[in-house]
Amino acid sequence: MITWDQLSMYVATGSCWHSNQTTTTTLAEQQSSQSKSIRQILSMDNTGYCNDSFNSIRSSTSDEDMVEIAGSTLDFSNTEDVPPLDRDYGSGDNPGMEEVNGVPKLMDLLDEPVPGVGTYEDFNTIDWVREKSKDRDRHREITSKSKESTWALVNSVCDAFSGWLLMLLIGLMSGALAGGIDISAHWMTDLKEGVCLNGFWFNHEHCCWTSNETTFQERDKCPQWKSWAELIIGTTEGPFAYIMNYLMYVCWALLFSFLAVTLVRAFAPYACGSGIPEIKTILSGFIIRGYLGKWTLVIKTITLVLAVSSGLSLGKEGPLVHVACCCGNILCHLFTKYRKNEAKRREVLSAAAAVGVSVAFGAPIGGVLFSLEEVSYYFPLKTLWRSFFAALVAAFTLRSINPFGNSRLVLFYVEFHTPWHLLELVPFILLGIFGGIWGAFFIRANIAWCRRRKTTWLGHYPVLEVLVVTAVTAVVAFPNSYTRTSTSELISELFNDCGLLDSSKLCNYDNANVTKSSNELPDRPAGNDVYTAMWQLSLALVFKMLITVVTFGMKVPSGLFIPSMAVGAIAGRLLGIGMEQLAYYHHDWVIFRGWCSPGADCITPGLYAMVGAAACLGGVTRMTVSLVVIMFELTGGLEYIVPLMAAAMTSKWVADAIGREGIYEAHIRLNGYPFLEAKEEFSHKTLAMDVMRPRRSDPPLSVLTQDGMTVEDVETMITDTTYSGFPVVVSHESQRLVGFVLRRDLTISIDNARQRQDGIVSTSRVFFTEYTPPQPPNSPPPLKLRGIMDLSPFTVTDHTAMDIVVDIFRKLGLRQCLITHNGRLLGIITKKDILKHVAQIANRDPDSILFN
């Protein structure tokens, strides 16, 4: 029984009533005078403020919240919410009201899911906390139901197994597409030089496999393979034949690139470029609708083959990550758990990125580490296991297809017969320095060119740009055999350790001192062909360095892994040959004495090429651990991990000393994506109040009040602003925070209520409270929107250090954080505010943080 004194003290002190036992007292048991006095006291403007765990709050002119009486019953049995303590409003029918245990309660339209609520608009950031909370609630519901029936148990098991099934499907689909891309690109690349008479679908190598007239010295020549000059003018020798082959090479290259850029421009503009910068941004929570859609997948797969076959200085490895992520996104729609939850879908996309590298290089372990180190934003242990499984399935699928025709999974298999010596770490580190300098130069030059493309007339003619770059590439590349061939074949030749049976110019040494029965090849003087090859490689190095700058970022699928590795492999091979000749002619020097005796095989130029490739790739992308693992998986050179590690780390240190950003981070910043880089440290001493909005000269923060606005007021605020969400406060005077509502959810809910709930008009009041006070007679029914409100928005005080705020945004994936002072709302910090603040500190234009 609640006595009169208790109730009077309760109202006068403004404290919340707590009771450990159910205490129910009806006003009918009190005298009528006491009942009248209670109503008088409760109608006074003196209200009590309950702590934040009580959500039945009502705005007033003070900073405190109203405790209401509903019906004629005071029931304090609910320990989670303060029940309504209101006057006798039980009589009469109110639209949108229903009786709950004798207490009138406003019907909440969000008791049933409203289509669109909880989803996100294009070019917005997801709410990671809300998405993870939704998944936890869904999992708890399935777990609790699994104990009720056998069917519910089976459903629970299927839900748990669905993730592994999805990984299996992604691995199979990505491996099959990668195998088809490899086979098609190899065939179309050879199509620029000739055609197979036995079947036009055979590439050069496969065409000559079945020929009995092929010799080992001229393994690439057979009667079944005809060059275009031989088919058109009937001869393979002479200037006319050379000109005809030259002309056909350029024409095929232009045709392939024209088809690629036209298909991208007409059907899937998102299919251009590498895709990794956008994948990183999407995995951080950004929404780019259509970027991982089915049309993007189809066009990217087709145009990737065309772009690689055209001979442009690009690779297919980066775009294969995009292709695999498209597969993952499309297959996610088969499973409700991933279709309806953006955070869960991004876990799948992280695994799909690992699959992309796995099928690109035949390096499943390196793919998992690449996703972890370079691409993923949120990578829990469960995702690590599933990524490993998906990469394994994809590698097995690719191995079953056998696109390289050598029964090997790796792209560049090498066998080095000589171990490396400790003193060779010096040239390896020199290669690391070269890779770091080249990486920093390439990033700055490429970003400058891409910015020029965006801001000048060049960006308005992407087809013309692609055709001009293709024409220049083909015209310059054809005379040099090392640039005419595909980049993958060039790298494979540079990695090769010369043997007695090699016919490459790089292996044309003076073998007078080597017997045919000997299996060992000592260091020996270089022949004329080797010096010719070195000059050609030097020209190829300059050409590749320059042409890659303008090629990467064009409106065709373009990867960066293979061109970067080609630059490093050429530089490494040149240095390796130089070291080999130095050791041969000066084996008595101090640096060679003791480990490089005359007639011994001391230096392996192919190893230098491999280390140089890793150094340049690391300088451009700033990868370390994943790079080393990819390289030894790529080549099979497990015992050369230490040289690879030394070169990779040196490359990263040198490149970071010149510029902190890798190529993908630089393109993210160039395009204005809202991406907070986890690798960067925020060391400036600023506070949250220095970054939050509104500033002192700005208009006040746009907020909603929990029960003081009409539908028209809310719609006017939505129309007059462009904000993604609005804080909900008790009142404009108190500014005590209640929650946060997303703009999209608010718009959808109001539109839905106008359609489904009778009587909702512009003058209807909007409530964000648990219980709704009665409405005056003849007033329109109110609209209750508490169900779309985030009751636990992240808040920090105005004196919180910004480095802590930045860490909170990074680790929790927040969209916004509210700033309070003594519990009162002061302002808001969004991810874009942080990005602008970081740009200002780095002396960059803060307005560059705009999605373009």
Side-chain angles (χ1 to χ4, degrees):
M1 184 75 66
I2 300 177
T3 65
W4 166 255
D5 294 336
Q6 289 174 322
L7 188 58
S8 300
M9 183 175 293
Y10 174 78
V11 176
T13 59
S15 62
C16 289
W17 186 273
H18 297 275
S19 177
N20 295 327
Q21 298 178 351
T22 302
T23 309
T24 305
T25 304
T26 62
L27 294 180
E29 297 174 357
Q30 305 294 334
Q31 296 179 359
S32 59
S33 60
Q34 289 181 342
S35 177
K36 181 177 180 181
S37 299
I38 292 174
R39 294 191 179 106
Q40 289 175 345
I41 292 175
L42 290 176
S43 64
M44 294 168 60
D45 204 21
N46 181 22
T47 58
Y49 177 70
C50 302
N51 67 36
D52 291 340
S53 64
F54 298 110
N55 297 318
S56 59
I57 52 181
R58 176 176 179 269
S59 66
S60 62
T61 56
S62 72
D63 289 345
E64 301 176 342
D65 305 323
M66 175 68 78
V67 180
E68 304 168 342
I69 298 180
S72 57
T73 303
L74 301 177
D75 186 359
F76 294 98
S77 60
N78 191 338
T79 59
E80 296 182 357
D81 269 317
V82 176
L85 305 176
D86 225 324
R87 281 176 282 183
D88 189 4
Y89 301 125
S91 60
D93 295 330
N94 256 341
M97 305 288 287
E98 64 176 357
E99 294 283 336
V100 180
N101 296 328
V103 180
K105 178 178 180 294
L106 180 65
M107 293 179 62
D108 189 354
L109 290 176
L110 295 174
D111 289 342
E112 298 179 9
V114 176
V117 169
T119 60
Y120 305 94
E121 294 180 350
D122 203 6
F123 308 132
N124 274 330
T125 304
I126 71 169
D127 189 333
W128 282 89
V129 178
R130 181 170 73 170
E131 296 298 308
K132 297 301 293 183
S133 177
K134 281 167 51 179
D135 184 63
R136 280 194 300 269
D137 294 341
R138 184 197 60 81
H139 187 264
R140 290 190 188 113
E141 183 181 0
I142 292 177
T143 303
S144 62
K145 287 183 178 179
S146 65
K147 302 174 183 178
E148 299 175 359
S149 65
T150 305
W151 174 249
L153 179 62
V154 171
N155 184 48
S156 175
V157 173
C158 292
D159 180 78
F161 183 70
S162 61
W164 295 99
L165 178 59
L166 181 57
M167 294 298 110
L168 176 68
L169 296 176
I170 292 173
L172 292 172
M173 187 173 179
S174 302
L177 286 175
I181 289 172
D182 286 332
I183 294 172
S184 302
H186 197 175
W187 169 66
M188 294 180 68
T189 300
D190 289 345
L191 192 62
K192 293 186 298 182
E193 299 182 358
V195 68
C196 184
L197 297 182
N198 288 348
F200 70 91
W201 55 87
F202 288 127
N203 61 35
H204 194 169
E205 186 178 9
H206 288 175
C207 184
C208 293
W209 270 1
T210 57
S211 175
N212 295 326
E213 303 176 33
T214 305
T215 62
F216 195 84
Q217 287 76 18
E218 296 182 344
R219 68 194 74 175
D220 59 340
K221 293 182 181 179
C222 62
Q224 290 80 10
W225 180 263
K226 299 292 184 182
S227 66
W228 291 111
E230 191 174 1
L231 286 173
I232 296 173
I233 63 176
T235 180
T236 59
E237 304 295 336
F240 289 109
Y242 183 83
I243 292 173
M244 180 56 65
N245 287 327
Y246 201 155
L247 185 62
M248 291 300 295
Y249 182 92
V250 175
C251 289
W252 279 110
L254 288 172
L255 175 62
F256 291 156
S257 62
F258 176 74
L259 289 175
V261 68
T262 304
L263 288 172
V264 167
R265 187 174 174 83
F267 296 103
Y270 284 154
C272 67
S274 167
I276 293 181
E278 287 78 12
I279 297 296
K280 289 188 68 169
T281 308
I282 289 172
L283 289 179
S284 73
F286 196 55
I287 301 284
I288 308 179
R289 302 215 180 276
Y291 197 84
L292 301 177
K294 56 182 180 298
W295 267 113
T296 304
L297 173 63
V298 172
I299 299 302
K300 186 107 181 183
T301 304
I302 296 172
T303 55
L304 178 56
V305 175
L306 292 167
V308 171
S309 304
S310 67
L312 288 167
S313 183
L314 48 83
K316 62 180 183 298
E317 287 66 31
L320 275 175
V321 175
H322 188 186
V323 168
C325 287
C326 287
C327 295
N329 183 64
I330 292 169
L331 292 172
C332 276
H333 288 80
L334 300 176
F335 303 88
T336 306
K337 176 167 69 172
Y338 298 101
R339 182 176 67 250
K340 294 186 176 181
N341 194 294
E342 293 288 348
K344 295 293 290 181
R345 190 183 306 184
R346 275 154 180 75
E347 293 180 21
V348 174
L349 296 180
S350 294
V355 170
V357 176
S358 175
V359 296
F361 290 113
I365 301 175
V368 175
L369 292 177
F370 174 80
S371 179
L372 174 62
E373 177 184 1
E374 190 64 25
V375 179
S376 295
Y377 197 85
Y378 174 68
F379 203 83
L381 190 60
K382 177 173 59 177
T383 303
L384 177 69
W385 301 335
R386 291 180 175 174
S387 301
F388 186 78
F389 173 70
L392 172 66
V393 173
F396 176 78
T397 304
L398 188 65
R399 172 65 181 80
S400 302
I401 296 174
N402 192 19
F404 308 121
N406 56 7
S407 300
R408 291 194 179 101
L409 181 64
V410 296
L411 190 58
F412 312 115
Y413 182 76
V414 296
E415 286 182 320
F416 298 141
H417 304 288
T418 306
W420 61 280
H421 194 269
L422 186 63
L423 290 175
E424 289 185 277
L425 280 178
V426 176
F428 294 154
I429 291 175
L430 289 177
L431 285 173
I433 294 173
F434 170 80
I437 295 174
W438 147 249
F441 160 77
F442 173 81
I443 292 170
R444 291 194 176 185
N446 179 253
I447 292 300
W449 180 261
C450 290
R451 186 173 288 113
R452 183 178 181 81
R453 180 187 290 128
K454 280 179 174 291
T455 57
T456 63
W457 63 269
L458 188 64
H460 299 292
Y461 304 99
V463 177
L464 180 61
E465 180 194 10
V466 170
L467 291 178
V468 170
V469 173
T470 304
V472 172
T473 303
V475 169
V476 177
F478 186 83
N480 190 337
S481 60
Y482 291 109
T483 52
R484 184 193 315 167
T485 184
S486 69
T487 312
S488 297
E489 293 179 4
L490 170 63
I491 296 173
S492 182
E493 184 174 350
L494 294 172
F495 283 6
N496 183 41
D497 186 20
C498 288
L500 287 173
L501 300 178
D502 281 310
S503 59
S504 171
K505 280 198 231 178
L506 288 170
C507 298
N508 190 9
Y509 290 89
D510 184 2
N511 294 326
N513 299 326
V514 183
T515 62
K516 292 295 182 182
S517 60
S518 173
N519 291 325
E520 296 182 359
L521 288 176
D523 288 339
R524 52 218 187 278
N528 291 332
D529 284 350
V530 174
Y531 290 116
T532 303
M534 290 180 70
W535 277 110
Q536 289 180 331
L537 283 176
S538 299
L539 294 174
L541 176 63
V542 176
F543 172 68
K544 287 284 185 183
M545 291 173 68
L546 295 177
I547 202 66
T548 306
V549 169
V550 298
T551 303
F552 185 71
M554 291 196 308
K555 298 304 180 183
V556 293
S558 55
L560 194 59
F561 281 37
I562 290 296
S564 300
M565 290 175 64
V567 170
I570 293 172
R573 187 77 185 203
L574 292 174
L575 180 60
I577 294 174
M579 288 291 296
E580 184 184 43
Q581 296 304 301
L582 196 65
Y584 177 79
Y585 289 107
H586 303 283
H587 56 78
D588 56 342
W589 283 8
V590 175
I591 58 173
F592 299 116
R593 192 184 306 156
W595 67 279
C596 189
S597 58
D601 186 13
C602 305
I603 306 295
T604 305
L607 173 60
Y608 285 71
M610 186 171 75
V611 172
C616 282
L617 184 55
V620 171
T621 62
R622 310 299 163 86
M623 295 190 298
T624 51
V625 180
S626 58
L627 172 63
V628 173
V629 175
I630 287 173
M631 287 304 299
F632 88 72
E633 281 192 283
L634 194 64
T635 60
L638 186 59
E639 60 181 300
Y640 301 103
I641 287 182
V642 173
L644 292 172
M645 292 173 65
M649 287 307 304
T650 305
S651 173
K652 178 175 172 56
W653 287 335
V654 172
D656 282 348
I658 301 174
R660 297 288 299 177
E661 289 181 323
I663 184 64
Y664 302 130
E665 292 78 16
H667 272 270
I668 286 173
R669 182 167 59 83
L670 175 69
N671 292 324
Y673 297 135
F675 181 78
L676 274 175
E677 178 57 58
K679 301 174 185 176
E680 294 182 2
E681 295 183 2
F682 188 91
S683 56
H684 297 272
K685 295 182 179 180
T686 51
L687 301 178
M689 61 189 300
D690 301 324
V691 182
M692 74 175 189
R693 290 181 298 166
R695 308 292 172 84
R696 292 182 179 178
S697 58
D698 293 342
L701 189 66
S702 298
V703 296
L704 300 168
T705 57
Q706 65 175 355
D707 65 352
M709 302 181 73
T710 63
V711 170
E712 183 180 12
D713 296 335
V714 175
E715 290 178 332
T716 301
M717 179 178 290
I718 293 174
T719 304
D720 294 343
T721 62
T722 58
Y723 306 129
S724 297
F726 305 95
V728 181
V729 296
V730 174
S731 66
H732 286 291
E733 293 78 12
S734 73
Q735 291 291 311
R736 287 196 180 274
L737 183 63
V738 178
F740 192 86
V741 177
L742 294 178
R743 176 195 190 93
R744 178 178 174 85
D745 292 351
L746 196 60
T747 304
I748 292 174
S749 299
I750 292 177
D751 291 343
N752 182 75
R754 284 184 180 274
Q755 297 174 8
R756 294 180 53 192
Q757 187 174 347
D758 293 336
I760 295 295
V761 293
S762 297
T763 55
S764 298
R765 291 183 66 186
V766 178
F767 290 95
F768 293 95
T769 54
E770 179 70 21
Y771 299 97
T772 307
Q775 303 303 302
N778 301 323
S779 64
L783 176 60
K784 181 181 175 185
L785 296 179
R786 182 182 174 85
I788 65 171
M789 183 172 63
D790 181 6
L791 295 173
S792 56
F794 275 85
T795 60
V796 296
T797 64
D798 51 341
H799 284 82
T800 305
M802 272 305 297
D803 55 345
I804 296 177
V805 177
V806 172
D807 275 344
I808 292 174
F809 269 82
R810 284 173 178 163
K811 294 175 180 178
L812 295 179
L814 298 184
R815 299 168 49 131
Q816 68 278 320
C817 183
L818 301 176
I819 312 302
T820 61
H821 178 76
N822 293 337
R824 297 166 64 92
L825 179 66
L826 284 186
I828 186 172
I829 295 180
T830 64
K831 181 187 277 190
K832 190 169 289 186
D833 294 329
I834 291 180
L835 290 167
K836 287 184 176 182
H837 182 62
V838 172
Q840 283 180 325
I841 291 175
N843 294 321
R844 299 197 303 262
D845 180 14
D847 292 330
S848 65
I849 311 300
L850 295 172
F851 174 64
N852 184 6

